[in-house]
């Protein structure tokens, strides 16, 4: 949706909400280093209310749709995917997800990542940089330069459940995302379980007009490609359920957000980065069920973070960015 208002132009991925569905975009199975086979993983996510799951084993594409015979009749959509290691021989942790892929592309070396992004795009797939936690956490993590070197990827993980409870690692994710947004990149922001043993820590919620029982892969793909979803993550295993955005709406130059439980709603923009590195966000409303923010041309982007904090245990929802262009 695009709306004009005098001297700024906002581009938002959010259209009418319709129905909302939980989707897992990063899950391992016994095809790589996961703990359960693909069918078990699909069924387990179905039982806890997920509508779709991408099986993303390391450098392996699950070629068949796992059959589902869950007696509860939980239908669940299988999204074809992979987690690329590229030059796994060096133990690299600079992993990438290929989602909605038709095939996987094996290659070695740094250049492999760029060719895998191109190959994924050519198949109308999406590519995401995984756990962008930087060299200070892991010597082969995603540095800013490494993220800037690559072109054409769809987005990044803003949360990865395999890091759940590791505050110093999770603290790297949002700054990594914001550095890319400030540089002018347009990114989709996903949260994932990176499932090996623990479920329902990080996921995305897609908006779709397709009613329950009628949801198919095309519907999921459309919402993901359009960015009509938000990311959700619990920062440690004790955290309560995260807030969900029930609506994210642009009218003129004002962004209006509602959530399904009282939460702190923050609007993060490029402006606050210019003012103070690691400083406060542009606006914060505490313990509310909704909030509004009016952009200025210097914002360049706005993304929304919703937070609940029970006894020091935080859980978040993160919107995709809404882009601001001066006219
Ligand atoms: Zn993984």
């Amino acid at each position: 949706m695009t709306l004009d208002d005098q001297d700024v132009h906002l581009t938002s991925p959010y259209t009418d909400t319709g129905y909302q569905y939980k989707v897992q975009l990063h899950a391992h199975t016994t095809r790589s280093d996961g703990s359960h086979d693909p069918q078990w993983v699909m069924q387990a996510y179905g039982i806890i209310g997920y509508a779709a799951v991408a099986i993303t084993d390391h450098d392996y594409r699950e070629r068949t749709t796992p059959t589902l015979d869950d007696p509860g009749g939980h239908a669940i959509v299988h999204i074809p995917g992979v987690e690329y290691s590229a030059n796994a021989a060096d133990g690299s942790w600079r992993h990438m997800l290929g989602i909605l892929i038709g095939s996987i592309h094996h290659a070695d070396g740094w250049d492999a990542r760029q060719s895998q992004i191109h190959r994924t795009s050519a198949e109308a797939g999406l590519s995401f940089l995984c756990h962008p936690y930087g060299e200070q956490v892991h010597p082969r993590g995603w540095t800013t330069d490494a993220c800037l070197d690559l072109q054409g990827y769809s987005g990044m993980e803003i949360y990865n459940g395999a890091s759940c409870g590791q505050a110093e690692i999770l603290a790297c994710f949002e700054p990594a995302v914001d550095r890319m947004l400030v540089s002018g990149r347009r990114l989709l922001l996903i949260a994932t379980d990176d499932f090996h043993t623990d479920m329902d820590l990080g996921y995305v919620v897609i908006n779709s007009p397709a009613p329950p029982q009628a949801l198919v892969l095309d519907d999921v793909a459309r919402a993901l490609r359009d960015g009509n979803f938000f990311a959700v993550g619990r920062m440690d295993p004790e955290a309560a359920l995260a807030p969900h955005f029930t609506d994210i709406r642009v009218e003129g130059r004002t962004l209006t957000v509602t959530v399904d439980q009282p939460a702190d709603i923050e609007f993060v923009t490029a402006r606050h980065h210019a003012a103070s590195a690691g400083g406060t966000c542009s606006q914060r409303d505490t313990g509310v069920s909704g909030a509004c923010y009016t952009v200025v041309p210097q914002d360049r982007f706005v993304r929304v973070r919703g937070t609940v904090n029970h006894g020091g245990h935080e859980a978040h929802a993160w919107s995709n960015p809404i882009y601001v262009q001066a006219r």
Side-chain angles (χ1 to χ4, degrees), residues 92-106:
S92 174
W93 283 69
R94 289 173 180 165
H95 290 176
M96 289 186 338
L97 290 176
I99 301 292
L100 296 165
I101 53 166
S103 59
I104 71 169
H105 176 214
H106 290 288

Side-chain angles (χ1 to χ4, degrees), residues 44-57:
Y45 275 108
I47 288 167
I48 61 172
Y50 281 69
V53 174
I55 301 292
T56 55
D57 280 306

Side-chain angles (χ1 to χ4, degrees), residues 127-150:
S127 37
F128 296 94
L129 309 190
C130 299
H131 37 71
Y133 41 54
E135 279 184 322
Q136 71 276 34
V137 173
H138 191 284
R140 286 179 290 274
W142 288 100
T143 60
T144 301
D145 283 348
C147 297
L148 285 168
D149 273 353
L150 294 170

Side-chain angles (χ1 to χ4, degrees), residues 7-299:
D7 54 346
V8 293
H9 177 89
L10 300 189
T11 305
S12 167
Y14 296 105
T15 51
D16 288 340
T17 304
Y19 300 89
Q20 294 192 316
Y21 299 100
K22 287 173 73 170
V23 176
Q24 182 54 243
L25 293 173
H26 190 163
H28 295 278
T29 77
T30 46
R31 299 281 191 267
S32 60
D33 56 355
S35 53
H36 297 278
D37 66 34
Q39 179 165 330
W40 188 98
V41 172
M42 295 290 291
Q43 288 183 351
Y45 275 108
I47 288 167
I48 61 172
Y50 281 69
V53 174
I55 301 292
T56 55
D57 280 306
H58 294 286
D59 303 299
Y60 180 92
R61 178 184 175 235
E62 177 61 37
R63 292 176 193 285
T64 54
T65 301
T67 49
L68 298 175
D69 52 7
D70 167 38
H74 298 283
I76 187 161
V77 174
H78 170 239
I79 306 168
V82 66
E83 184 170 20
Y84 285 119
S85 307
N87 47 352
D90 76 354
S92 174
W93 283 69
R94 289 173 180 165
H95 290 176
M96 289 186 338
L97 290 176
I99 301 292
L100 296 165
I101 53 166
S103 59
I104 71 169
H105 176 214
H106 290 288
D108 291 323
W110 175 254
D111 289 346
R113 291 185 175 78
Q114 188 61 68
S115 60
Q116 283 156 346
I117 290 169
H118 289 325
R119 174 81 165 250
T120 300
S121 300
E123 295 181 338
L126 302 171
S127 37
F128 296 94
L129 309 190
C130 299
H131 37 71
Y133 41 54
E135 279 184 322
Q136 71 276 34
V137 173
H138 191 284
R140 286 179 290 274
W142 288 100
T143 60
T144 301
D145 283 348
C147 297
L148 285 168
D149 273 353
L150 294 170
Q151 306 292 328
Y153 50 91
S154 312
M156 299 166 73
E157 285 181 336
I158 195 165
Y159 176 88
N160 175 298
S163 312
C164 186
Q166 299 172 267
E168 70 286 356
I169 294 179
L170 291 173
C172 300
F173 283 53
E174 289 201 59
V177 162
D178 286 331
R179 279 195 295 275
M180 290 304 105
L181 292 172
V182 167
S183 80
R185 295 296 178 98
R186 295 202 167 196
L187 300 176
L188 301 175
L189 307 179
I190 62 170
T192 71
D193 276 343
D194 196 356
F195 172 70
H196 295 81
T197 54
D198 297 311
M199 286 188 166
D200 209 30
L201 299 169
Y203 54 89
V204 301
V205 176
I206 63 166
N207 298 316
S208 174
Q213 311 305 325
L215 188 79
V216 295
L217 180 59
D218 279 351
D219 301 310
V220 178
R222 188 173 305 112
L224 292 174
R225 291 185 181 116
D226 291 350
N228 194 7
F229 66 85
F230 58 87
V232 175
R234 292 192 288 149
M235 303 305 271
D236 71 68
E238 308 303 318
L241 291 180
H244 282 190
F245 296 120
T246 48
D247 197 25
I248 299 174
R249 189 171 296 274
V250 170
E251 287 171 304
R253 58 162 66 188
T254 298
L255 190 57
T256 303
V257 177
T258 55
V259 285
D260 65 349
Q261 59 174 304
D264 299 346
I265 299 179
E266 296 165 274
F267 296 87
V268 179
T269 74
R271 187 162 42 126
H272 98 262
H273 290 275
S276 61
T280 58
C281 57
S282 290
Q283 181 182 307
R284 178 188 176 99
D285 299 276
T286 305
V288 294
S289 57
C292 299
Y293 176 75
T294 299
V295 304
V296 299
Q298 303 94 292
D299 282 340

